[in-house]
Amino acid sequence: MAGGVATERPPIRHNDYSPLDPPPLGDWDPSLSVSVIVPAYGGQHALDLTLASLAAQTYPGHLMEVIVVDDGSDPPLRLPEIAPEGARIVSSAPDGWGIAHALNTGAAVAEGRIIQRLDADMVVWPEHIEALARWHHLSDYLVTIGGKRFVEEPPGDLSPEGLYEHARAGSLGEVLDLSNALASSTEQTISRTNGLRSSRNPYHVCTGPTVSMRRETFHAVGGVDPGVLRGEDTEFAYRLATHGVVFVPDMAARAAHLGLPAQRLDRDRAVRAVAPYLAHRVPLRRDLRKDGGRRWLVPYVEVVLHVDAGEERVRAAVSAALEGSVSDVRVTLVAPWSRLSPGRHAVLGDPSFELRLMREHFAHDERIRLADEVSATPGPTPFRYTGPVSVPLGRQTLERMIAAVQEDRSGMLVVDLGEEGSATLERAEALGRARLLGADDVVTSIKATHGVRHGTKAEFWPVPRPQAPKPCASQPSASRATRSLRSKLGAALRQLRA
């Protein structure tokens, strides 16, 4: 919608944002304010160049604020002469450090409707902020990603004043030639997946240097995790994905990253530094969860069971869920646990005897959670299974169900269990999208955005094939018995001949 703020939320299919039609650059009237948050630690000269490029933006100055978060620089950072009007430096809160902590600090004081993250060693072209912000005027559940190319270092004689003049004159490419710069792997993926429209996991390319979203989206997922010291942008993007957002890259938002990426300088060490953070927090990275017998911070599947049967049946259903071929699960038992008073009560004659007994059985197992009701979404856990206690999961049921929804990227699988009702597998991303769209009918919403698949019990609870009985160890097999008889007959014949 050119010149206004969207009031509708179009039901975008997966990540195909094709129905959205952004206005041409320079030919529309923005109305949403933008807070550009720049986490910084040292690097005053690079920061000066970043701020000079921000001072030359085409986005209206009265709608843009720039917040530089000084993450403990020594000496402290200062604002240069050339900087956007109203730019300010805030100190990162004293109770933490790192990029994530600095970003959260800046977001806490940001006043803009849109939050734009930008690294302190990025030089952006004049249309950068405008190109990304225009999408947020169309819908409020988008995350936009700017382009970037890596230059080894800026020219030695490039001053903030010179950069600003080139930017204002539209000749920034004369001092920072992007055609000879190193392309990022994210841009290659974006190109290969039709601008992420066909990407199965678009969050992979949502890396930190230049990303924007509505402020409420940033806070809805809890901000960036300060406990993740490497790969914090990917982990944050994964949580955004389970929240239901749509990722929109816009290569018109050009930028030069001053310096080569860490992967280029020491790939092995950079990859190893990220691996444990993502292994625990991004369950879709199955390649990082190959260690047998491990327990992970965020499980792959949440298994929801409503406690509506006796103790033995519930225990059998829980055991079946935990002993399947997909072991990376957490079980949520839903019952009115909060009604169990902690005070004095009869033990054997307690009206809630069965419920108390089950609570004691399960409350101390870290893989089991007791809840009074089901949460709206399992996120950041990517999948949630819900089924009756009367039909325990088969050993390969979850594995088969996940494979089915991964095959066609459906958001929900409904399995008909006959007289026992039905079982469902839901994708957190699809549930999150339905919530963002304000859907009254979640299933109808998921059908429109991700698709709903149906199946039968026989597909996911296959009847095991009967196995032939093994011969007892104490009895010789037929072949051994035959050989023994032949041996005895041969000996008898030899004696007769003798």
Side-chain angles (χ1 to χ4, degrees):
M1 175 185 302
V5 178
T7 57
E8 297 181 358
R9 292 169 177 159
I12 295 171
R13 183 81 171 182
H14 293 298
N15 202 67
D16 186 2
Y17 51 88
S18 298
L20 300 179
D21 185 20
L25 293 174
D27 190 24
W28 65 296
D29 298 316
S31 60
L32 294 176
S33 54
V34 179
S35 294
V36 183
I37 301 175
V38 184
Y41 177 70
Q44 181 69 57
H45 179 63
L47 175 63
D48 292 351
L49 297 176
T50 299
L51 292 175
S53 69
L54 286 172
Q57 290 298 295
T58 59
Y59 204 73
H62 70 280
L63 290 177
M64 189 177 77
E65 68 170 353
V66 176
I67 304 170
V68 177
V69 184
D70 188 347
D71 189 28
S73 303
D74 186 17
L77 296 171
R78 53 167 178 75
L79 279 180
E81 292 185 9
I82 299 179
E85 184 178 352
R88 65 189 191 275
I89 293 180
V90 300
S91 296
S92 186
D95 57 342
W97 61 278
I99 294 175
H101 185 72
L103 283 168
N104 293 339
T105 299
V109 299
E111 298 178 357
R113 296 281 302 281
I114 300 169
I115 285 182
Q116 163 79 54
R117 175 195 167 170
L118 192 69
D119 276 3
D121 50 5
M122 295 275 285
V123 171
V124 292
W125 265 240
E127 302 84 7
H128 194 96
I129 302 300
E130 179 190 352
L132 298 183
R134 59 180 170 166
W135 294 93
H136 300 296
H137 287 69
L138 303 177
S139 180
D140 60 359
Y141 66 98
L142 309 179
V143 172
T144 56
I145 306 164
K148 63 180 181 297
R149 299 217 164 192
F150 297 90
V151 296
E152 192 162 353
E153 59 182 24
D157 59 349
L158 181 59
S159 66
E161 295 80 8
L163 185 144
Y164 176 76
E165 292 301 328
H166 277 287
R168 294 286 292 177
S171 58
L172 196 52
E174 295 181 7
V175 290
L176 291 172
D177 185 5
L178 294 187
S179 63
N180 293 323
L182 175 67
S184 68
S185 59
T186 60
E187 287 196 18
Q188 296 169 9
T189 302
I190 289 168
S191 176
R192 189 176 65 250
T193 57
N194 188 24
L196 296 184
R197 292 176 181 87
S198 62
S199 174
R200 299 180 69 91
N201 293 299
Y203 75 88
H204 274 309
V205 306
C206 187
T207 52
T210 170
V211 175
S212 69
M213 68 206 70
R214 288 289 190 98
R215 183 176 60 189
E216 57 268 26
T217 300
F218 182 94
H219 293 298
V221 298
V224 192
D225 187 348
V228 181
L229 299 180
R230 291 290 298 181
E232 77 290 334
D233 44 6
T234 300
E235 190 277 335
F236 179 54
Y238 167 73
R239 281 186 286 119
L240 287 168
T242 60
H243 187 62
V245 306
V246 172
F247 296 91
V248 180
D250 193 330
M251 297 302 98
R254 294 176 295 167
H257 191 290
L258 306 179
L260 298 180
Q263 290 87 341
R264 185 80 174 214
L265 301 175
D266 191 342
R267 178 174 176 78
D268 179 68
R269 198 172 185 86
V271 170
R272 289 181 60 203
V274 172
Y277 294 108
L278 299 189
H280 272 291
R281 295 165 175 85
V282 182
L284 294 181
R285 289 295 306 270
R286 308 310 294 161
D287 59 310
L288 298 177
R289 293 190 174 187
K290 293 182 178 179
D291 299 355
R294 294 289 306 277
R295 297 289 180 268
W296 306 99
L297 180 62
V298 180
Y300 191 41
V301 188
E302 179 187 20
V303 174
V304 175
L305 301 172
H306 291 267
V307 178
D308 54 5
E311 173 202 341
E312 290 187 6
R313 297 188 76 176
V314 173
R315 291 175 66 180
V318 170
S319 295
L322 296 177
E323 294 173 355
S325 59
V326 177
S327 59
D328 190 2
V329 303
R330 177 183 64 194
V331 176
T332 298
L333 294 178
V334 181
W337 307 105
S338 62
R339 297 182 188 176
L340 299 178
S341 61
R344 182 185 294 273
H345 60 274
V347 177
L348 301 182
D350 187 354
S352 301
F353 175 78
E354 290 289 337
L355 199 58
R356 287 188 188 275
L357 200 63
M358 279 190 276
R359 184 178 68 175
E360 190 59 29
H361 268 298
F362 300 119
H364 310 294
D365 191 324
E366 63 180 11
R367 299 179 67 188
I368 300 173
R369 186 170 65 97
L370 308 182
D372 281 26
E373 58 185 20
V374 182
S375 59
T377 170
T381 299
F383 299 106
R384 178 168 67 193
Y385 168 87
T386 304
V389 170
S390 58
V391 184
L393 284 161
R395 175 165 175 75
Q396 294 185 331
T397 299
L398 281 180
E399 184 177 354
R400 287 170 174 250
M401 293 180 80
I402 292 171
V405 298
Q406 291 290 67
E407 179 184 23
D408 60 6
R409 300 172 64 191
S410 51
M412 177 182 291
L413 169 63
V414 182
V415 180
D416 183 2
L417 299 178
E419 295 181 355
E420 299 295 340
S422 63
T424 62
L425 184 73
E426 302 162 302
R427 192 187 293 271
E429 170 192 326
L431 287 170
R433 182 78 56 82
R435 294 180 66 202
L436 290 175
L437 292 172
D440 295 325
D441 186 339
V442 172
V443 176
T444 299
S445 177
I446 292 177
K447 186 176 181 180
T449 62
H450 291 77
V452 175
R453 182 168 178 160
H454 294 269
T456 64
K457 183 179 179 180
E459 294 178 71
F460 304 100
W461 276 264
V463 178
R465 297 179 179 177
Q467 296 182 352
K470 295 180 180 179
C472 298
S474 60
Q475 297 180 352
S477 64
S479 59
R480 289 179 57 193
T482 301
R483 288 196 300 270
S484 176
L485 179 60
R486 288 175 177 171
S487 178
K488 291 177 180 179
L489 288 174
L493 288 172
R494 284 193 295 273
Q495 288 179 353
L496 288 171
R497 291 171 181 164

mmCIF file of all heavy atoms in Angstrom, residues 200-222:
data_model
loop_
_atom_site.group_PDB
_atom_site.id
_atom_site.type_symbol
_atom_site.label_atom_id
_atom_site.label_comp_id
_atom_site.label_asym_id
_atom_site.label_seq_id
_atom_site.Cartn_x
_atom_site.Cartn_y
_atom_site.Cartn_z
ATOM 1 N N ARG A 200 12.838 -23.494 2.035
ATOM 2 C CA ARG A 200 12.185 -24.284 3.074
ATOM 3 C C ARG A 200 12.507 -23.760 4.458
ATOM 4 O O ARG A 200 11.716 -23.910 5.390
ATOM 5 C CB ARG A 200 12.605 -25.753 2.957
ATOM 6 C CG ARG A 200 12.235 -26.407 1.637
ATOM 7 C CD ARG A 200 12.672 -27.856 1.593
ATOM 8 N NE ARG A 200 11.897 -28.687 2.498
ATOM 9 C CZ ARG A 200 10.776 -29.325 2.163
ATOM 10 N NH1 ARG A 200 10.308 -29.223 0.924
ATOM 11 N NH2 ARG A 200 10.144 -30.078 3.023
ATOM 12 N N ASN A 201 13.680 -23.167 4.614
ATOM 13 C CA ASN A 201 14.101 -22.622 5.909
ATOM 14 C C ASN A 201 14.724 -21.240 5.696
ATOM 15 O O ASN A 201 15.937 -21.067 5.825
ATOM 16 C CB ASN A 201 15.107 -23.552 6.597
ATOM 17 C CG ASN A 201 14.486 -24.868 7.013
ATOM 18 O OD1 ASN A 201 13.559 -24.908 7.820
ATOM 19 N ND2 ASN A 201 14.996 -25.955 6.459
ATOM 20 N N PRO A 202 13.908 -20.241 5.391
ATOM 21 C CA PRO A 202 14.463 -18.920 5.054
ATOM 22 C C PRO A 202 15.191 -18.242 6.207
ATOM 23 O O PRO A 202 15.979 -17.328 5.970
ATOM 24 C CB PRO A 202 13.231 -18.121 4.626
ATOM 25 C CG PRO A 202 12.071 -18.814 5.255
ATOM 26 C CD PRO A 202 12.434 -20.266 5.266
ATOM 27 N N TYR A 203 14.957 -18.691 7.424
ATOM 28 C CA TYR A 203 15.641 -18.060 8.563
ATOM 29 C C TYR A 203 17.150 -18.232 8.474
ATOM 30 O O TYR A 203 17.910 -17.461 9.090
ATOM 31 C CB TYR A 203 15.112 -18.631 9.879
ATOM 32 C CG TYR A 203 15.608 -20.029 10.199
ATOM 33 C CD1 TYR A 203 16.795 -20.218 10.895
ATOM 34 C CD2 TYR A 203 14.896 -21.159 9.812
ATOM 35 C CE1 TYR A 203 17.267 -21.484 11.185
ATOM 36 C CE2 TYR A 203 15.350 -22.426 10.097
ATOM 37 C CZ TYR A 203 16.538 -22.588 10.784
ATOM 38 O OH TYR A 203 17.004 -23.842 11.067
ATOM 39 N N HIS A 204 17.606 -19.234 7.704
ATOM 40 C CA HIS A 204 19.044 -19.500 7.585
ATOM 41 C C HIS A 204 19.813 -18.277 7.089
ATOM 42 O O HIS A 204 20.968 -18.069 7.471
ATOM 43 C CB HIS A 204 19.285 -20.656 6.608
ATOM 44 C CG HIS A 204 19.202 -22.009 7.235
ATOM 45 N ND1 HIS A 204 19.887 -22.352 8.380
ATOM 46 C CD2 HIS A 204 18.504 -23.114 6.881
ATOM 47 C CE1 HIS A 204 19.622 -23.606 8.700
ATOM 48 N NE2 HIS A 204 18.779 -24.088 7.809
ATOM 49 N N VAL A 205 19.206 -17.481 6.215
ATOM 50 C CA VAL A 205 19.933 -16.362 5.624
ATOM 51 C C VAL A 205 19.675 -15.054 6.358
ATOM 52 O O VAL A 205 20.186 -14.012 5.961
ATOM 53 C CB VAL A 205 19.582 -16.192 4.132
ATOM 54 C CG1 VAL A 205 19.803 -17.475 3.377
ATOM 55 C CG2 VAL A 205 18.159 -15.708 3.957
ATOM 56 N N CYS A 206 18.892 -15.117 7.418
ATOM 57 C CA CYS A 206 18.588 -13.888 8.157
ATOM 58 C C CYS A 206 19.701 -13.614 9.160
ATOM 59 O O CYS A 206 19.517 -13.714 10.375
ATOM 60 C CB CYS A 206 17.236 -14.017 8.860
ATOM 61 S SG CYS A 206 16.668 -12.490 9.637
ATOM 62 N N THR A 207 20.866 -13.300 8.648
ATOM 63 C CA THR A 207 22.005 -13.009 9.510
ATOM 64 C C THR A 207 22.026 -11.517 9.838
ATOM 65 O O THR A 207 21.403 -10.707 9.164
ATOM 66 C CB THR A 207 23.311 -13.436 8.825
ATOM 67 O OG1 THR A 207 23.362 -12.852 7.528
ATOM 68 C CG2 THR A 207 23.367 -14.950 8.681
ATOM 69 N N GLY A 208 22.777 -11.171 10.843
ATOM 70 C CA GLY A 208 22.604 -9.919 11.537
ATOM 71 C C GLY A 208 22.888 -8.578 10.915
ATOM 72 O O GLY A 208 22.209 -7.625 11.257
ATOM 73 N N PRO A 209 23.863 -8.410 10.041
ATOM 74 C CA PRO A 209 24.331 -7.054 9.720
ATOM 75 C C PRO A 209 23.257 -6.042 9.332
ATOM 76 O O PRO A 209 23.366 -4.871 9.658
ATOM 77 C CB PRO A 209 25.308 -7.295 8.569
ATOM 78 C CG PRO A 209 25.839 -8.662 8.824
ATOM 79 C CD PRO A 209 24.696 -9.429 9.380
ATOM 80 N N THR A 210 22.197 -6.458 8.637
ATOM 81 C CA THR A 210 21.142 -5.521 8.271
ATOM 82 C C THR A 210 19.806 -6.250 8.173
ATOM 83 O O THR A 210 19.541 -6.948 7.190
ATOM 84 C CB THR A 210 21.449 -4.771 6.952
ATOM 85 O OG1 THR A 210 20.279 -4.051 6.546
ATOM 86 C CG2 THR A 210 21.918 -5.694 5.853
ATOM 87 N N VAL A 211 19.001 -6.105 9.223
ATOM 88 C CA VAL A 211 17.709 -6.783 9.336
ATOM 89 C C VAL A 211 16.728 -5.817 9.988
ATOM 90 O O VAL A 211 17.101 -5.073 10.907
ATOM 91 C CB VAL A 211 17.822 -8.065 10.187
ATOM 92 C CG1 VAL A 211 16.458 -8.692 10.411
ATOM 93 C CG2 VAL A 211 18.763 -9.068 9.535
ATOM 94 N N SER A 212 15.460 -5.849 9.543
ATOM 95 C CA SER A 212 14.471 -4.971 10.190
ATOM 96 C C SER A 212 13.149 -5.694 10.366
ATOM 97 O O SER A 212 12.840 -6.659 9.652
ATOM 98 C CB SER A 212 14.261 -3.690 9.362
ATOM 99 O OG SER A 212 13.598 -3.969 8.152
ATOM 100 N N MET A 213 12.363 -5.228 11.334
ATOM 101 C CA MET A 213 11.060 -5.808 11.648
ATOM 102 C C MET A 213 10.268 -4.809 12.474
ATOM 103 O O MET A 213 10.817 -3.825 12.974
ATOM 104 C CB MET A 213 11.234 -7.113 12.441
ATOM 105 C CG MET A 213 11.786 -6.932 13.848
ATOM 106 S SD MET A 213 12.665 -8.375 14.465
ATOM 107 C CE MET A 213 14.150 -8.364 13.447
ATOM 108 N N ARG A 214 8.987 -5.057 12.635
ATOM 109 C CA ARG A 214 8.184 -4.227 13.514
ATOM 110 C C ARG A 214 8.681 -4.390 14.957
ATOM 111 O O ARG A 214 9.104 -5.475 15.368
ATOM 112 C CB ARG A 214 6.708 -4.616 13.428
ATOM 113 C CG ARG A 214 6.006 -4.217 12.135
ATOM 114 C CD ARG A 214 5.794 -2.706 12.034
ATOM 115 N NE ARG A 214 4.928 -2.387 10.905
ATOM 116 C CZ ARG A 214 3.620 -2.152 11.003
ATOM 117 N NH1 ARG A 214 3.035 -2.196 12.190
ATOM 118 N NH2 ARG A 214 2.903 -1.875 9.928
ATOM 119 N N ARG A 215 8.582 -3.334 15.729
ATOM 120 C CA ARG A 215 9.081 -3.361 17.103
ATOM 121 C C ARG A 215 8.367 -4.424 17.936
ATOM 122 O O ARG A 215 8.994 -5.129 18.741
ATOM 123 C CB ARG A 215 8.903 -1.979 17.752
ATOM 124 C CG ARG A 215 9.459 -1.887 19.176
ATOM 125 C CD ARG A 215 9.342 -0.467 19.705
ATOM 126 N NE ARG A 215 7.944 -0.031 19.734
ATOM 127 C CZ ARG A 215 7.555 1.212 19.995
ATOM 128 N NH1 ARG A 215 8.472 2.141 20.222
ATOM 129 N NH2 ARG A 215 6.285 1.534 20.017
ATOM 130 N N GLU A 216 7.044 -4.584 17.737
ATOM 131 C CA GLU A 216 6.307 -5.575 18.527
ATOM 132 C C GLU A 216 6.745 -6.993 18.194
ATOM 133 O O GLU A 216 6.683 -7.894 19.051
ATOM 134 C CB GLU A 216 4.802 -5.421 18.321
ATOM 135 C CG GLU A 216 4.317 -5.511 16.885
ATOM 136 C CD GLU A 216 4.228 -4.159 16.192
ATOM 137 O OE1 GLU A 216 4.968 -3.226 16.592
ATOM 138 O OE2 GLU A 216 3.399 -4.032 15.267
ATOM 139 N N THR A 217 7.209 -7.221 16.968
ATOM 140 C CA THR A 217 7.711 -8.542 16.597
ATOM 141 C C THR A 217 8.995 -8.846 17.352
ATOM 142 O O THR A 217 9.193 -9.962 17.854
ATOM 143 C CB THR A 217 7.963 -8.612 15.083
ATOM 144 O OG1 THR A 217 6.731 -8.359 14.384
ATOM 145 C CG2 THR A 217 8.495 -9.965 14.671
ATOM 146 N N PHE A 218 9.873 -7.862 17.432
ATOM 147 C CA PHE A 218 11.141 -8.030 18.155
ATOM 148 C C PHE A 218 10.879 -8.453 19.598
ATOM 149 O O PHE A 218 11.471 -9.405 20.120
ATOM 150 C CB PHE A 218 11.945 -6.726 18.115
ATOM 151 C CG PHE A 218 13.285 -6.803 18.797
ATOM 152 C CD1 PHE A 218 14.427 -7.101 18.078
ATOM 153 C CD2 PHE A 218 13.405 -6.565 20.161
ATOM 154 C CE1 PHE A 218 15.671 -7.168 18.699
ATOM 155 C CE2 PHE A 218 14.639 -6.633 20.800
ATOM 156 C CZ PHE A 218 15.773 -6.933 20.070
ATOM 157 N N HIS A 219 9.973 -7.746 20.247
ATOM 158 C CA HIS A 219 9.716 -8.022 21.662
ATOM 159 C C HIS A 219 8.873 -9.275 21.867
ATOM 160 O O HIS A 219 8.994 -9.936 22.909
ATOM 161 C CB HIS A 219 9.045 -6.814 22.310
ATOM 162 C CG HIS A 219 9.931 -5.609 22.404
ATOM 163 N ND1 HIS A 219 11.107 -5.601 23.137
ATOM 164 C CD2 HIS A 219 9.827 -4.372 21.840
ATOM 165 C CE1 HIS A 219 11.686 -4.415 23.041
ATOM 166 N NE2 HIS A 219 10.931 -3.657 22.250
ATOM 167 N N ALA A 220 8.023 -9.623 20.890
ATOM 168 C CA ALA A 220 7.147 -10.789 21.042
ATOM 169 C C ALA A 220 7.936 -12.083 21.180
ATOM 170 O O ALA A 220 7.489 -13.019 21.859
ATOM 171 C CB ALA A 220 6.186 -10.885 19.863
ATOM 172 N N VAL A 221 9.107 -12.165 20.554
ATOM 173 C CA VAL A 221 9.909 -13.386 20.635
ATOM 174 C C VAL A 221 10.965 -13.298 21.733
ATOM 175 O O VAL A 221 11.808 -14.188 21.863
ATOM 176 C CB VAL A 221 10.576 -13.711 19.286
ATOM 177 C CG1 VAL A 221 9.526 -13.954 18.218
ATOM 178 C CG2 VAL A 221 11.538 -12.616 18.853
ATOM 179 N N GLY A 222 10.933 -12.219 22.513
ATOM 180 C CA GLY A 222 11.856 -12.098 23.633
ATOM 181 C C GLY A 222 13.185 -11.459 23.313
ATOM 182 O O GLY A 222 14.127 -11.542 24.109
#
